[in-house]
Amino acid sequence: MKQLITIMLMLLCIATRGQKAIEATNEFLVTGAVTNELKFTLAAIERSPSGPIPDIVITNHKGEPRDTLKQLKGVLVKDLLKDIPLKEDNLKRFSEFYFTFVASDQYKVVYSWNEIFNSPTGNHIFIVTSINGEALQDMRSRILVVTPTDFKTGRRFIKCLSKVVVSRAEQEQP
Ligand SMILES: Nc1nc2c(c(=O)[nH]1)N[C@H]1C(S)=C(S)[C@@H](COP(=O)(O)O)O[C@H]1N2
Ligand SMILES: [Mo]
C-alpha cells in the first residue's frame, strides 16, 4: 500500500511538472500602430470603474467544460483603451485596425477595433479585477482577460496578459 502511494505521488509530481506555470503579469503595454505607447499597471486598471460579471464556464476548443469562474468583477477593455491614440486621423479607417493581446507565454488572441468599440461583444470583453473574492494583485492568472459571450470561452480566456499590439490590415498586393 505504501509503495502504491509513493508511486502515485511520484506520477502526480511528474504530471504537474509537465504543466509549466504561466508567469503572472503586473502591467501591460499598448504598442504598435499608436502615436505613443501606454502602460497600464494594476493600479491603473483598478482606477477604471469595475462591475460584477456573472459566473463563466470556461470551455476548451472542443466545447468541453474546463473550469467555472465565480465571484467575478472586471473592467471593460473598451473603457480602458478608449483613449488609445491610433496612428490614423481618418475615423473611417479605424475599421482597418486590430489588437493582438499577447500573454507572457506568447499565447495570442486577436480582437478587431469594431469588435471592441462598435459591437455588442465590446460590452463583454473584461479585464478581471477580482475572482473568488481574491484581489487583482493576488490572482495567479493576472492580468486575466475574459469574453463571456464567446461560444468556446477558453479561446479568448487570456491568462497573464503582457501586451496589446495595435496593427492595421495590410494593403492588398496589386
Ligand atoms: N496565457 C495563456 N492563456 C491561455 C492559454 C495559454 O496557453 N496561455 N490557453 C487557452 C486555452 S486554448 C484554453 S482552452 C483555456 C483553458 O486552458 P487551461 O485548461 O490550460 O487553463 O485557457 C486559454 N488561455
Ligand atoms: Mo483550448
Side-chain angles (χ1 to χ4, degrees), residues 9-24:
L9 280 175
M10 277 166 62
L11 286 175
L12 186 73
C13 283
I14 293 166
T16 45
R17 217 185 300 167
Q19 269 184 342
K20 23 179 178 27
I22 307 166
E23 206 179 321

Side-chain angles (χ1 to χ4, degrees), residues 1-60:
M1 187 62 187
K2 247 189 192 166
Q3 269 175 328
L4 188 65
I5 291 173
T6 313
I7 290 168
M8 278 170 56
L9 280 175
M10 277 166 62
L11 286 175
L12 186 73
C13 283
I14 293 166
T16 45
R17 217 185 300 167
Q19 269 184 342
K20 23 179 178 27
I22 307 166
E23 206 179 321
T25 53
N26 295 313
E27 57 185 42
F28 72 90
L29 186 72
V30 181
T31 178
V34 286
T35 53
N36 57 296
E37 293 188 331
L38 287 179
K39 193 192 276 177
F40 289 92
T41 60
L42 298 186
I45 293 167
E46 282 179 322
R47 274 198 293 275
S48 200
S50 74
I53 309 170
D55 294 357
I56 309 171
V57 177
I58 301 300
T59 45
N60 68 10

Side-chain angles (χ1 to χ4, degrees), residues 22 24-25 27-30 40 42 45 53 56-59 69 72-78 80-81 99-104 107-111 115-116 121-131 136 139-150 152-164:
I22 307 166
T25 53
E27 57 185 42
F28 72 90
L29 186 72
V30 181
F40 289 92
L42 298 186
I45 293 167
I53 309 170
I56 309 171
V57 177
I58 301 300
T59 45
L69 311 184
L72 294 163
K73 276 192 210 157
V75 306
L76 282 171
V77 165
K78 70 170 183 181
L80 216 56
L81 300 190
F99 301 81
T100 308
F101 284 52
V102 186
S104 63
Y107 186 69
K108 295 183 186 72
V109 166
V110 170
Y111 294 92
E115 199 175 14
I116 295 175
T121 300
N123 293 338
H124 305 274
I125 307 169
F126 297 97
I127 290 188
V128 176
T129 52
S130 181
I131 191 166
L136 179 57
M139 290 170 43
R140 274 208 303 158
S141 50
R142 74 180 185 278
I143 293 166
L144 176 65
V145 182
V146 294
T147 313
T149 48
D150 279 354
K152 311 281 167 60
T153 47
R155 289 188 172 278
R156 297 204 285 188
F157 175 67
I158 312 159
K159 296 176 269 189
C160 312
L161 174 71
S162 74
K163 62 181 172 178
V164 172

